[in-house]
């Protein structure tokens, strides 16, 4: 299984990079990284709930434009960018990591990262209340003290991100961390495992909240984090019970 993954990744790397330079560290990381989705770079996953399920915190109109225009648009771009490349069997993650930090592959990286980030974003939200698994709850208590303190830290990071970007809860080498990234950037490139994400590009909230990012984040995070899917990713990455 791992051998197959590594072989596919090497094929992808060769196909994506003419020079084949500076790929080894990322290739090694990609070969051993937990497979979060094994998603296709060519297929947009279905929205995991009804389009109006997040209203009134996030309106059906916002979800419609965000999912059916913005998110879909990154898959349309990927289809074009990958059309003449030998990427058979490559996952979206593998395309993302193979194209990272290479100026000549910037368009591919941006499309792959934004497709991946939005895949996680929709899974990071829940229309119904959820709770962390005991294992994730213990890790949250160890790092942040309380779940509310984690939510505050995540809100601070998301609201404070200058310009477009993302607020994340990730699993790093030293445990859980809250971080923010700009534009399309994805923590997998740093060897971190994303557990959940909130989108703070203006298209995520402008139709409902205009310029009031803090109000949007302040409503979404306490009410709509999907702790269940975050717990599943935590379990996958650590071997803990889901
Ligand atoms: Mn978005």
């Amino acid at each position: 299984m791992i051998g197959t993954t590594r072989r596919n990744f090497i094929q992808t790397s060769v196909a994506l990079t003419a020079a084949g330079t500076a790929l080894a560290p990322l290739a090694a990381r990609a070969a051993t990284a937990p497979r979060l989705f094994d998603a296709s770079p060519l297929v947009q996953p279905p929205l995991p709930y009804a389009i109006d399920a997040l209203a009134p915190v996030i309106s059906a109109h916002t979800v419609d434009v965000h999912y059916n225009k913005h998110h879909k648009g990154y898959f349309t771009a990927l289809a074009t960018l990958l059309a003449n490349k030998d990427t058979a069997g490559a996952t979206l993650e593998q395309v993302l990591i193979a194209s990272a930090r290479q100026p000549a592959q910037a368009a591919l990286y941006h499309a792959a990262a934004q497709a991946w980030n939005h895949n996680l974003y929709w899974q990071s939200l829940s229309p119904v209340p959820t709770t962390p698994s005991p294992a994730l709850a213990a890790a949250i208590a160890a790092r942040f003290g309380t779940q509310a303190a984690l939510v505050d830290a995540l809100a601070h990071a998301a609201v404070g991100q200058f310009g477009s970007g993302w607020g994340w809860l990730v699993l790093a080498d030293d445990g859980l961390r809250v971080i923010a990234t700009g534009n399309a950037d994805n923590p997998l490139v740093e060897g971190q495992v994303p557990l959940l994400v909130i989108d703070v590009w203006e298209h995520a909230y402008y139709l409902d909240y205009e310029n009031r990012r803090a109000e949007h984040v302040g409503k979404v995070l306490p009410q709509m984090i999907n702790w269940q899917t975050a717990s599943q990713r935590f379990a996958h990455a650590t071997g803990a019970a889901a």
Side-chain angles (χ1 to χ4, degrees), residues 9 33 47 73 76 83 89-90 103 114 128 131 133 165 199 210 226:
F9 180 76
L47 198 63
T76 303
Q114 284 293 85
V128 297
T131 55
S133 67
D199 187 341
E210 298 182 335
N226 192 329

Side-chain angles (χ1 to χ4, degrees), residues 35-48:
R35 302 262 75 85
L36 299 184
F37 304 110
D38 286 328
S40 166
L42 302 175
V43 180
Q44 184 185 21
L47 198 63

